[in-house]
Amino acid sequence: MSVPTHKARHVAIIMDGNGRWAKKRHLPRAMGHKKGVDAVRRLVKAAREMGLEALTLYAFSTENWSRPEDEISALMGLMKAFILADLDEFAKAGVRLKIIGDYNKFSADVVELIEGALARTAANTGTTLVVALNYGSQDEIARAATKAAAKGAITPEAIAAELDTADLPPLDLLIRTSGEVRLSNFLLWQAAYAEMYFTEVLWPDFTPAHLEEALAEFAARERRYGGR
Ligand code: FPP
């Protein structure tokens, strides 16, 4: 069955290339991440204006713990600053925050800020901003399968219902910036029928116009879900 052209409901982004952006300018990597957060800010606003139901951002993977301590602490500082400085505006605009992954591994002050932000936006009905924190897709699938098994049946539907993303619309489009062409343990299950979009643009340079380009390409693709 062929599916007519469509508007994306759920877009996910692997925000890659902050380090290379900084290196090209002889700046510390943390500056690349800082500019990366500026891009996050622009893109959340754009997603809201474009009426996306969900925007999922890969902010910190289970593998990112192996980065140098100062880089991890720079990322944590940026996340705290984002919640403190920007969340209010997004919350007022109807954005709901959702976290996938186990953020309880972060320090107590970060956990507290995240929980405050979750509570503050829980009743919002606009775009859901999904931030993947200490997230790994294989871990998520294993946890979901364990829960499904405890309830009796390990079927695809039963596993899907236990994933961290169970309450979100199906993933339509997965974007990765910076020219890398792999999924890096991100949304492996959810990507089963998602369209993939890879761009050379480094994350700090990614603008709403780039998102619109990706969405235009998405709308023009024919999705057959394995049918004909
Ligand atoms: C990849 O670039 C990017 C990350 C590992 C971190 C992404 C996180 C942010 C942009 C901050 C998120 C904050 C909020 C508020 C959601 P890289 O360092 O791997 O770049 P490289 O491959 O060029 O070295």
Side-chain angles (χ1 to χ4, degrees), residues 41-42 44-45 48-49 82-95 120-121 124:
R41 206 172 279 126
R42 293 194 294 268
V44 175
K45 186 165 182 276
R48 191 170 63 65
E49 289 166 359
F82 177 81
I83 293 177
L84 287 167
D86 300 292
L87 204 96
D88 215 39
E89 187 190 326
F90 289 132
K92 282 191 189 126
V95 172
R120 196 142 44 96
T121 63
N124 284 354

Side-chain angles (χ1 to χ4, degrees), residues 165-196:
T165 54
D167 62 332
L168 298 172
L171 180 62
D172 291 310
L173 176 65
L174 195 150
I175 298 171
R176 183 167 190 154
T177 59
S178 91
E180 307 293 345
V181 187
R182 57 179 171 268
L183 293 182
S184 300
N185 204 14
F186 188 51
L187 302 180
L188 302 180
W189 183 286
Q190 296 84 343
Y193 289 104
E195 295 293 321
M196 304 284 153

Side-chain angles (χ1 to χ4, degrees), residues 14-23 29 32-41 44 57-61 64 67 71 74-76 78-83 86 97 129-133 176-178 180 182 202-204:
I14 302 177
M15 310 181 287
D16 200 3
N18 295 348
R20 275 161 286 165
W21 185 95
K23 194 168 179 204
R29 292 179 62 81
H33 293 315
K34 186 166 187 290
K35 292 290 176 189
V37 178
D38 292 344
V40 168
R41 206 172 279 126
V44 175
L57 301 176
Y58 204 3
F60 197 90
S61 72
N64 285 152
R67 297 204 173 196
E71 185 174 350
L75 279 168
M76 294 298 146
L78 286 167
M79 277 187 256
K80 281 200 270 186
F82 177 81
I83 293 177
D86 300 292
L97 179 69
L129 168 62
V130 186
V131 183
L133 290 177
R176 183 167 190 154
T177 59
S178 91
E180 307 293 345
R182 57 179 171 268
L202 302 176
W203 177 250

